[in-house]
Amino acid sequence: MAQKTIRLGYIDMEYILENVPEYQEASKQLDNRVQEWKAEAEVKMRKVDDMKTRLDNERALLTKELIEEREGEISYMEQQAIEYQQNRFGPNGDYMIQKKQLVRPIQDQVFTAVQQIAENRNLDFVFDRTADIGMIYADQQYDVSETVLRTIKRTANREQLENRSEIKEFEQEENRTVEQDREITEREEQAEEKKSEREALIEQRRNERDSLKAVRQNEFEERRAKILAERERKKDSILRSREKKNDTIN
């Protein structure tokens, strides 16, 4: 990996969007909607300003109670206007939501195309020069997320290292490549899978034994019940015979 030349590519998402007719048509519709929202927001704020102006002009003629009532009404209308602006143009407002919905289908097409082109041209990374995040494609062989995770876990146990052999083993683990980490992870997963299979087989056999034991126990209980019933029947028969004999003698 150290000797391999890394191949890069980049796209201009804004240029792509500007040249997709479907996006441009939908973008125009959204722009028209935005202009309507702006006009409505201006109407609301202008109404608040008019109410403030009228109150200032009439303040000297109003009682304290009327002034407070008018001020409360103005405050309420102003809050409503601000909330309207936030609902339309805030970070989670209608404009941002619809903008994302508008761009998402094109982005999905771009990401699919980028992945195909990167694989065909053996590109390792592809960036979007107009995006804040930047990278939109990366060859999986450069993903060191698992290595970072393993390092964090090992670092948490660093203070527990007590002898040279443990320290040496720790250093060897830190120097492993992504491929080696992946192979080890796969082996561990396979071992865990086999362990789960063994445990499942043991549990199955245990259930079978328990089931067989239960069947035998039921059979034993049935036989025992029959024997007791037969004994009770014979006992009753003997008692009836004795009673009949005594009646004859008497």
Side-chain angles (χ1 to χ4, degrees):
M1 288 177 60
Q3 296 176 354
K4 178 184 176 181
T5 300
I6 296 179
R7 296 172 59 85
L8 305 177
Y10 77 89
I11 65 169
D12 187 328
M13 182 65 80
E14 291 182 0
Y15 171 78
I16 294 173
L17 294 176
E18 290 173 357
N19 288 274
V20 175
E22 295 83 358
Y23 174 81
Q24 288 300 314
E25 179 61 29
S27 183
K28 289 180 181 178
Q29 295 178 6
L30 179 58
D31 289 341
N32 292 336
R33 201 169 303 151
V34 167
Q35 295 303 319
E36 294 176 0
W37 293 341
K38 286 182 177 180
E40 190 168 351
E42 290 175 358
V43 169
K44 291 180 178 295
M45 290 305 299
R46 190 160 49 246
K47 184 176 181 179
V48 172
D49 292 338
D50 291 343
M51 292 174 68
K52 289 181 179 180
T53 300
R54 286 198 301 272
L55 177 59
D56 289 340
N57 294 336
E58 300 172 3
R59 187 178 296 272
L61 304 176
L62 301 174
T63 63
K64 180 179 178 181
E65 290 76 10
L66 288 175
I67 292 175
E68 291 177 351
E69 181 180 343
R70 296 271 290 272
E71 287 178 342
E73 184 180 1
I74 292 171
S75 177
Y76 173 78
M77 296 297 294
E78 187 172 22
Q79 184 63 34
Q80 290 294 307
I82 294 173
E83 288 182 3
Y84 178 84
Q85 290 180 342
Q86 285 295 317
N87 291 336
R88 294 302 192 188
F89 304 106
N92 300 315
D94 295 333
Y95 174 73
M96 294 303 298
I97 292 174
Q98 294 190 27
K99 187 73 172 178
K100 291 177 181 178
Q101 293 175 345
L102 178 63
V103 174
R104 188 175 295 115
I106 309 301
Q107 286 179 329
D108 293 341
Q109 296 179 36
V110 170
F111 293 154
T112 300
V114 166
Q115 184 173 359
Q116 294 175 352
I117 294 170
E119 292 175 354
N120 294 336
R121 297 190 180 185
N122 295 322
L123 299 177
D124 297 307
F125 299 96
V126 177
F127 297 85
D128 177 8
R129 72 182 187 87
T130 62
D132 295 333
I133 298 176
M135 186 172 65
I136 62 173
Y137 171 84
D139 194 315
Q140 189 176 5
Q141 66 175 311
Y142 296 104
D143 185 359
V144 296
S145 301
E146 188 64 31
T147 304
V148 172
L149 181 60
R150 292 171 65 88
T151 300
I152 291 174
K153 292 179 179 179
R154 290 195 297 263
T155 302
N157 298 324
R158 184 188 298 270
E159 296 179 357
Q160 300 179 8
L161 301 178
E162 298 178 353
N163 53 53
R164 291 185 178 181
S165 61
E166 291 180 345
I167 295 174
K168 183 177 180 180
E169 181 180 357
F170 176 82
E171 291 175 348
Q172 289 175 346
E173 290 179 355
E174 284 195 323
N175 291 329
R176 285 203 300 257
T177 63
V178 176
E179 286 77 10
Q180 291 172 334
D181 269 341
R182 188 175 294 115
E183 291 175 0
I184 292 174
T185 300
E186 290 176 355
R187 288 199 297 268
E188 291 175 349
E189 291 176 350
Q190 291 173 359
E192 185 65 27
E193 183 177 353
K194 291 180 180 179
K195 179 181 177 182
S196 299
E197 291 176 354
R198 288 196 300 270
E199 292 176 350
L201 181 59
I202 293 172
E203 182 66 20
Q204 180 182 352
R205 290 176 177 174
R206 183 185 298 112
N207 292 336
E208 291 175 353
R209 288 197 300 269
D210 293 342
S211 178
L212 181 59
K213 182 178 179 181
V215 171
R216 291 175 177 174
Q217 182 67 27
N218 289 335
E219 291 176 351
F220 171 77
E221 294 293 341
E222 290 177 359
R223 289 196 302 270
R224 182 171 179 272
K226 289 180 180 179
I227 292 171
L228 293 175
E230 182 64 20
R231 287 179 182 176
E232 192 67 24
R233 186 187 65 79
K234 290 180 178 179
K235 181 179 178 180
D236 292 341
S237 178
I238 293 171
L239 290 175
R240 284 194 300 270
S241 296
R242 287 178 180 176
E243 291 174 355
K244 184 176 182 181
K245 184 177 180 180
N246 291 333
D247 292 339
T248 301
I249 295 172
N250 293 332

